[in-house]
Amino acid sequence: MAAANTIINSITTAMTNCPDIMQIMASDTMTRLFITELIRLYSMVSDSRVRGMCDYDAAEVLTAVHIGALCGKNTWTELDFFMKNRQEWCFEYFPSMRREGKTPSHDTLNRIFSKLDEEQLQIAQTTFIQENIKNLMERFECKEPE
């Protein structure tokens, strides 16, 4: 759990000089590529939840949380509210949320993260940043870090 909070905080800190990512991503063709890449990376994180007993795909939830963190959402409650306010958007990009007809609650987010391998989660996040930081900074017109 601590690692998940660290990741959320580090994403937020790294992107503080960027404009609102949801406005940029609203109708951009890069959105699908960005989300597809995140889901691919997060699919590599071991999920110890019981298969067949889970409503939401972990990689999709991790991706939604990642995007919420980019928008400055730092708690499960803020992330829950963020997804509920963008429910149609979530349904478009995350099939498991569309299938359920709702986004995960703050309790569900907490449970999903508690069942994930934290080290693998950090590796996936670091890989994404290493592979994409320059492109992301250019794309979102971020200032160079000091």
Side-chain angles (χ1 to χ4, degrees):
M1 183 62 200
N5 287 334
T6 300
I7 290 169
I8 291 169
N9 291 336
S10 67
I11 294 168
T12 302
T13 301
M15 303 301 279
T16 54
N17 295 323
C18 295
D20 183 348
I21 194 167
M22 291 306 293
Q23 289 177 0
I24 293 169
M25 293 176 69
S27 61
D28 191 346
T29 56
M30 293 299 289
T31 303
R32 192 155 308 276
L33 294 172
F34 178 76
I35 290 173
T36 300
E37 177 65 10
L38 281 171
I39 290 172
R40 181 189 68 78
L41 285 168
Y42 286 134
S43 292
M44 296 178 204
V45 177
S46 295
D47 179 5
S48 64
R49 297 179 300 159
V50 178
R51 294 226 184 260
M53 300 294 291
C54 307
D55 294 335
Y56 301 100
D57 178 79
E60 291 178 14
V61 171
L62 288 168
T63 300
V65 166
H66 182 113
I67 292 167
L70 288 173
C71 294
K73 309 311 173 203
N74 297 316
T75 68
W76 299 131
T77 302
E78 288 175 344
L79 289 160
D80 174 2
F81 189 71
F82 171 82
M83 286 186 248
K84 280 182 178 38
N85 281 337
R86 291 161 182 81
Q87 191 169 20
E88 288 182 31
W89 186 87
C90 287
F91 289 175
E92 179 179 349
Y93 291 101
F94 307 118
S96 67
M97 293 181 201
R98 181 174 54 245
R99 182 182 64 243
E100 290 302 312
K102 60 184 179 179
T103 57
S105 70
H106 64 282
D107 289 334
T108 300
L109 294 173
N110 189 13
R111 277 192 305 275
I112 290 170
F113 270 78
S114 72
K115 298 288 186 180
L116 299 175
D117 182 303
E118 291 182 5
E119 186 175 327
Q120 290 178 3
L121 183 60
Q122 287 180 320
I123 290 168
Q125 183 63 55
T126 302
T127 301
F128 175 80
I129 292 171
Q130 288 173 337
E131 291 177 356
N132 295 288
I133 192 67
K134 184 176 179 181
N135 292 335
L136 283 170
M137 290 181 73
E138 288 173 9
R139 175 73 186 125
F140 299 123
E141 300 173 3
C142 294
K143 297 176 185 174
E144 284 290 325
E146 296 178 9

